[in-house]
Amino acid sequence: MLITHSFTHQEVLGLKFGYQTIGRPRLFSHLYFVDGLLIDTGHSRVRHHVQSASEGLGIEQILITHHHEDHTGNLRALKARHQCPVYASPLCCQIMHSPPPLSLAQQITWGNRPPQRDLIPKVERIETHRFTFDLIPIPGHAPDMVALYEPNRRWLFSADLYINSYIDYFLADESMAEQIASTKRILELDFDVMFCGHKPQLSNAKRQLTKKLHFLEAFFQDVATLHQRGCSDREIFRRLSLKENWFVRLLSGGKLSKFNMVKSVIRDVENNLP
Ligand SMILES: [Zn+2]
């Protein structure tokens, strides 16, 4: 099933796309367009719809928040159609030269994305005719991820920092300690609206992100405590009565799981992060 929807909030246009092979989509992707700038490109399963929604907008530049396939899936198509520069963090540009392979679950849900070698590295800020967005590194979910912050309008484009106030699974390379540090840094900013890559928060944005922070901190603390007492990852999982989403875990060949959240904390503790 495919669901598409668009909305405007102040000068920002939000484009929402949901796709699920069987049944109703559970996770939606959002692209944002503001003053000639397109933020992210969505996943390739909805390419046709992204392309038609982007017609006539007047896209002058594109910024990619991080390399994940649900943000970069239509990058090549949109760049070719709109003949515009595409910017990303220096690390994202590097990763996109040869993006990591996707699990079956990711390919089914989002489709694949080709390598892209002509992204332009951007740091500190990106400007449009009327707005200046600070680019803030927010590693953790992905090492190359950035947020865009417009201090005068109090807009935060938070990429995948939020997603939800709790989270059920991690990719194998996510760092919970870095997510906590990035979230704390972002919460110091003055923003009213959070244009999240999956679940925009047009009101109570700070409260929602604070809830997420508390969830991550509590999870981290619980796992770290048991790890320091000598419990193994499996024992910790059992003792905290965590429930695995086996459908996602098996389909992804273990790349996406709740168990990864436990392993992430143990790795972070052992590496003394942050
Ligand atoms: Zn992501």
Side-chain angles (χ1 to χ4, degrees):
M1 182 192 280
L2 172 83
I3 294 178
T4 65
H5 173 68
S6 67
F7 63 90
T8 51
H9 184 85
Q10 298 168 353
E11 290 93 335
V12 179
L13 170 68
L15 300 169
K16 174 179 174 178
F17 300 93
Y19 171 82
Q20 187 85 22
T21 325
I22 302 164
R24 211 182 145 76
R26 280 170 293 177
L27 190 63
F28 293 89
S29 269
H30 286 76
L31 285 63
Y32 295 104
F33 177 77
V34 53
D35 196 23
L37 172 67
L38 181 72
I39 300 167
D40 286 329
T41 67
H43 55 86
S44 63
R45 294 265 176 235
V46 292
R47 178 167 303 152
H48 172 70
H49 303 275
V50 169
Q51 279 175 318
S52 45
S54 70
E55 283 302 318
L57 288 182
I59 295 174
E60 296 166 1
Q61 49 181 343
I62 299 173
L63 185 120
I64 299 297
T65 59
H66 62 300
H67 71 280
H68 287 164
E69 66 283 1
D70 48 329
H71 298 255
T72 54
N74 302 308
L75 173 50
R76 187 175 283 187
L78 291 176
K79 185 179 189 305
R81 171 65 188 88
H82 300 282
Q83 295 289 307
C84 63
V86 182
Y87 300 103
S89 69
L91 183 56
C92 182
C93 296
Q94 203 182 312
I95 293 172
M96 285 305 293
H97 274 242
S98 175
L102 301 178
S103 66
L104 184 62
Q106 289 166 297
Q107 290 194 37
I108 289 171
T109 313
W110 307 124
N112 216 332
R113 78 328 205 173
Q116 193 77 25
R117 297 192 173 80
D118 53 2
L119 299 187
I120 306 166
K122 197 83 170 166
V123 289
E124 290 189 14
R125 63 189 57 86
I126 185 162
E127 287 172 359
T128 65
H129 301 284
R130 287 181 289 156
F131 307 111
T132 300
F133 299 88
D134 295 335
L135 295 176
I136 304 165
I138 45 167
H141 168 73
D144 58 333
M145 196 163 78
V146 291
L148 291 82
Y149 173 55
E150 218 300 346
N152 296 314
R153 307 296 280 131
R154 296 183 176 191
W155 293 331
L156 178 75
F157 294 84
S158 54
D160 285 357
L161 182 72
Y162 172 67
I163 301 182
N164 209 338
S165 47
Y166 63 93
I167 198 126
D168 243 357
Y169 41 81
F170 258 28
L171 289 161
D173 60 352
E174 293 192 53
S175 161
M176 197 173 290
E178 284 190 338
Q179 283 193 33
I180 290 170
S182 292
T183 306
K184 282 182 175 169
R185 214 163 41 243
I186 287 294
L187 281 169
E188 284 170 13
L189 303 173
D190 192 12
F191 62 92
D192 295 330
V193 180
M194 190 160 60
F195 296 103
C196 169
H198 295 283
K199 207 173 184 189
Q201 301 296 311
L202 305 180
S203 58
N204 298 321
K206 274 198 141 170
R207 199 171 75 195
Q208 288 304 106
L209 190 58
T210 304
K211 259 195 220 173
K212 170 78 177 280
L213 174 65
H214 292 161
F215 166 79
L216 292 176
E217 285 181 325
F219 190 96
F220 191 98
Q221 193 54 51
D222 288 347
V223 174
T225 304
L226 290 173
H227 174 64
Q228 276 146 4
R229 284 186 200 153
C231 296
S232 71
D233 45 13
R234 285 176 202 286
E235 231 177 315
I236 294 171
F237 199 85
R238 209 179 48 245
R239 287 180 67 163
L240 293 177
S241 306
L242 299 173
K243 297 267 178 294
E244 188 60 273
N245 183 336
W246 281 101
F247 180 71
V248 171
R249 181 168 168 177
L250 290 174
L251 211 60
S252 68
K255 280 195 174 181
L256 280 167
S257 70
K258 186 162 261 185
F259 193 51
N260 280 344
M261 293 170 67
V262 171
K263 290 205 288 189
S264 167
V265 174
I266 294 172
R267 203 166 50 237
D268 286 342
V269 170
E270 287 177 351
N271 292 332
N272 290 316
L273 271 176

